[in-house]
Amino acid sequence: MEGRGVVCSPNLLYQMTGGTYKQYDVVIVGSGLGGLVSAVILAREGLRVCVLEKNNQFGGNLQTFSRDKKVFDTGVHYVGGLAEGQNLHRYFSYLGIMPHLRLERMPTVFDQICFGDEDVCYPIAQGYDAFVDCLSASFPAERSTLIQYVADLQYTCSAFPLYDAEEGEGYASEVINLSVKAYFTRLTTNERLRAVLVGNNFLYAGEDDKTPFYVHALAVNSYIQSAYKCILGGSQISKLLIRELRKLNGEAYKREEVVKLEIENGRICRAITHSGNQVHGDLFIMNVDPKRALQLVGKEHFRKAFYDRIQALPVTTSSFSLHGVLQPGQVRYQAHNVYYQQNTEAVWCATTYKKEDWANMFMLSMTEDPQQPGYADTFTVLTYMHFDEVEAWADTMNTIVQPEDRGWTYEAFKEDKTEQLLNKVKRHFPELVEAVHRTYVSTPLSYRDYIGMYRGNLYGHAKDASDPLKTFIAPKTKIENLYLTGHGVYMHGILGVTVGAIATCSEILGKSYLLRKIHNETTDNHG
């Protein structure tokens, strides 16, 4: 393994637990999916791994919460690529968690795209052939266009070999400069079909002529391959990864917020936590927002141009999430998600809404009542929200570990936004709103405080097709033993963050070695 050899002074070793002094091979700051995947991969290599998490729950965006004895997801509402032989299935199999996941395959039509100016909704189906067939029923003259679109998705994704656990450099130069808007303008003149194909762009917070098409392709392709819901929430992924890590003699600690990384001889030597604890290691992986990661080390340890570039990078917008408990037996369960857009024009600029147009797009999903099959017991509505809307309370911090009352003005703000959003939903799903028993809300502040992303951003830095290298952040830093991972570094989403962790670990273990090992083990087990 690269980067071993120089350790901290022996007299500085930290007594972590139970009177035993420990020096770790790898210290991982943050227990989001990228950190946990990295932890398990490196622990499988026999390395002594320690994960430090600031919150009361492991998992970052995988976290769930319970209200009224119902479980709600904070960030994972469905997962793609989990069918036998597909990319995420292969990665999760290698990590040892695939056999234990409790999953439910979504119906063939897993998403519906709806527009406020018409009654019909358009089906997005899983399976390439079914995808083409279902949309061809609505656009019979565009069947060849849909076939081309599917081929382009696959071609674009193959530009990133790690997407399919393959080695090679790919051909990213051919795809990174193409914007979503430019691609679809070239694909078809049918404006409604264009709008349908980007109608679920909440998956990547797309901005028409800015967001690269490869971001669209990487975000949606795996769902078209296969779409699943996690029974009882996405937190099972983090729980299984923690279990696997501990089986491999790794360690993970909650309520240990790292507030500083200290350097000796040009290398990170130890992490200092909020309570003054010191955790020492040979290698450090930061699974936190890249801006925060650099701040923890100190700007003096990086080239000024690099540090300033990362701190200045614009981020994707945040989200307002409305979680609701329904009166039993009132609303028929719909297993598919609904993406609502105000009209075909608004789909291109939903992320840059004006305040008076807020919530003109939303995503709606439901869970089925186990006591009354066929009926829904909870629902979640997600829409964009700029951090500017909660700037008045930006100086507050409210988590289970660090509770703080943001005040009555914040509560009034949430109530007002909840009413606005439910009024939008009611126009198209009146029976759902009429059956609401109780609601709970997450704002950009919730995402910032619990997930730790700058201004509560959904998907990391906003990538720009006209300047693709501007947002590029390598997983290996110029500090010899410091690495980065997470959705702020590579790509977002379950698959994107998993692939990003593979990229990070490849820098430590060697790409050929790691990919060969993944291929051999998953082929033997599932080939």
Side-chain angles (χ1 to χ4, degrees):
M1 183 183 74
E2 300 174 9
R4 304 286 296 279
V6 179
V7 298
C8 296
S9 307
N11 62 323
L12 293 175
L13 289 179
Y14 167 61
Q15 184 177 12
M16 189 71 184
T17 57
T20 302
Y21 287 93
K22 295 187 178 180
Q23 168 77 32
Y24 296 99
D25 296 316
V26 185
V27 175
I28 298 176
V29 180
S31 72
L33 179 62
L36 294 181
V37 170
S38 300
V40 172
I41 289 173
L42 297 174
R44 283 174 58 100
E45 298 299 313
L47 301 179
R48 295 164 295 173
V49 179
C50 177
V51 177
L52 302 173
E53 169 56 48
K54 74 183 181 99
N55 281 319
N56 193 51
Q57 187 178 154
F58 295 118
N61 266 316
L62 297 170
Q63 294 177 67
T64 57
F65 66 94
S66 179
R67 297 289 186 276
D68 294 84
K69 299 181 180 179
K70 312 291 184 184
V71 175
F72 293 93
D73 272 299
T74 58
V76 179
H77 301 283
Y78 59 144
V79 186
L82 280 176
E84 184 86 22
Q86 293 176 355
N87 45 18
L88 195 55
H89 187 286
R90 170 171 284 190
Y91 282 132
F92 278 6
S93 295
Y94 176 74
L95 293 166
I97 69 172
M98 192 65 218
H100 309 292
L101 286 174
R102 296 186 62 196
L103 302 168
E104 177 185 5
R105 186 147 188 169
M106 296 180 71
T108 299
V109 174
F110 63 95
D111 282 346
Q112 288 196 354
I113 312 299
C114 306
F115 301 98
D117 55 359
E118 62 176 301
D119 294 331
V120 66
C121 289
Y122 298 89
I124 305 297
Q126 56 180 309
Y128 294 123
D129 292 341
F131 174 86
V132 171
D133 289 343
C134 286
L135 275 182
S136 292
S138 300
F139 300 94
E142 298 284 348
R143 185 176 184 87
S144 61
T145 299
L146 292 164
I147 292 172
Q148 183 62 52
Y149 169 70
V150 164
D152 291 342
L153 286 182
Q154 295 173 78
Y155 178 83
T156 302
C157 290
S158 63
F160 303 88
L162 284 181
Y163 182 83
D164 284 311
E166 300 293 340
E167 196 170 0
E169 298 306 315
Y171 43 89
S173 60
E174 297 181 33
V175 301
I176 59 176
N177 292 107
L178 179 64
S179 74
V180 169
K181 190 65 176 287
Y183 169 79
F184 283 105
T185 299
R186 185 178 70 187
L187 179 69
T188 179
T189 59
N190 190 312
E191 294 184 8
R192 189 158 297 275
L193 178 57
R194 291 177 189 166
V196 169
L197 293 176
V198 298
N200 56 2
N201 58 6
F202 188 83
L203 290 169
Y204 53 94
E207 297 182 49
D208 54 8
D209 55 357
K210 184 176 181 180
T211 302
F213 175 69
Y214 79 81
V215 173
H216 168 96
L218 292 172
V220 306
N221 182 65
S222 64
Y223 292 105
I224 296 176
Q225 288 181 316
S226 63
Y228 290 82
K229 283 189 176 181
C230 290
I231 299 171
L232 297 180
S235 62
Q236 63 173 302
I237 298 173
S238 56
K239 291 173 183 174
L240 288 170
L241 287 168
I242 290 289
R243 187 177 78 177
E244 198 67 23
L245 174 64
R246 287 173 171 157
K247 281 168 53 180
L248 295 163
N249 299 315
E251 299 173 20
Y253 299 92
K254 295 182 285 190
R255 295 174 175 258
E256 285 288 351
E257 179 178 6
V258 172
V259 295
K260 185 174 177 57
L261 297 174
E262 294 191 344
I263 290 185
E264 287 184 6
N265 303 316
R267 296 165 58 90
I268 306 296
C269 183
R270 55 190 162 268
I272 310 298
T273 71
H274 70 294
S275 55
N277 294 332
Q278 299 181 15
V279 186
H280 297 246
D282 292 350
L283 300 180
F284 288 79
I285 298 176
M286 303 301 292
N287 181 209
V288 300
D289 189 289
K291 298 177 193 292
R292 178 62 177 157
L294 301 192
Q295 291 167 7
L296 288 171
V297 178
K299 64 186 300 182
E300 67 274 15
H301 297 292
F302 299 96
R303 294 194 312 273
K304 183 178 186 302
F306 172 74
Y307 185 91
D308 290 347
R309 174 175 73 88
I310 300 304
Q311 298 301 325
L313 283 177
V315 293
T316 53
T317 190
S318 190
S319 176
F320 181 92
S321 305
L322 176 64
H323 308 279
V325 178
L326 294 167
Q327 298 171 26
Q330 298 295 307
V331 178
R332 281 287 177 183
Y333 170 62
Q334 296 182 3
H336 60 265
N337 305 307
V338 173
Y339 287 88
Y340 167 84
Q341 304 280 352
Q342 182 183 19
N343 53 51
T344 56
E345 292 77 30
V347 70
W348 299 101
C349 54
T351 58
T352 55
Y353 68 88
K354 297 177 181 178
K355 279 192 177 182
E356 59 268 25
D357 296 326
W358 181 74
N360 278 340
M361 73 72 54
F362 59 80
M363 173 195 171
L364 167 67
S365 64
M366 303 180 186
T367 61
E368 189 174 22
D369 189 343
Q371 305 302 318
Q372 296 193 59
Y375 288 90
D377 64 347
T378 75
F379 70 95
T380 297
V381 182
L382 308 173
T383 189
Y384 295 121
M385 178 171 277
H386 301 153
F387 192 84
D388 292 349
E389 297 213 40
V390 295
E391 195 78 56
W393 307 280
D395 292 336
T396 64
M397 170 70 71
N398 183 30
T399 65
I400 292 175
V401 175
Q402 189 176 343
E404 181 178 353
D405 186 355
R406 303 194 205 270
W408 70 267
T409 55
Y410 181 67
E411 295 304 316
F413 168 82
K414 292 195 296 183
E415 289 178 13
D416 179 58
K417 291 299 183 181
T418 296
E419 183 178 0
Q420 287 185 49
L421 183 52
L422 285 177
N423 284 336
K424 294 291 179 78
V425 175
K426 189 173 184 178
R427 296 176 190 175
H428 301 278
F429 305 95
E431 72 289 346
L432 180 77
V433 176
E434 290 165 5
V436 170
H437 171 61
R438 191 169 285 123
T439 59
Y440 305 93
V441 164
S442 300
T443 74
L445 292 172
S446 313
Y447 287 93
R448 182 201 65 180
D449 294 355
Y450 278 95
I451 311 302
M453 298 307 293
Y454 176 70
R455 294 176 75 82
N457 72 80
L458 279 170
Y459 303 128
H461 298 109
K463 296 176 174 61
D464 189 342
S466 65
D467 193 1
L469 295 181
K470 180 181 179 182
T471 55
F472 174 76
I473 303 175
K476 189 179 190 311
T477 73
K478 294 299 183 181
I479 295 175
E480 185 181 350
N481 65 335
L482 178 65
Y483 300 82
L484 306 174
T485 198
H487 84 238
V489 178
Y490 194 81
M491 270 289 292
H492 64 270
I494 298 293
L495 177 59
V497 171
T498 300
V499 171
I502 300 295
T504 300
C505 291
S506 293
E507 294 286 347
I508 297 169
L509 301 172
K511 183 189 293 185
S512 296
Y513 168 80
L514 180 56
L515 291 179
R516 185 167 60 249
K517 192 166 186 181
I518 292 172
H519 178 79
N520 290 342
E521 294 199 20
T522 56
T523 300
D524 290 344
N525 293 334
H526 304 283

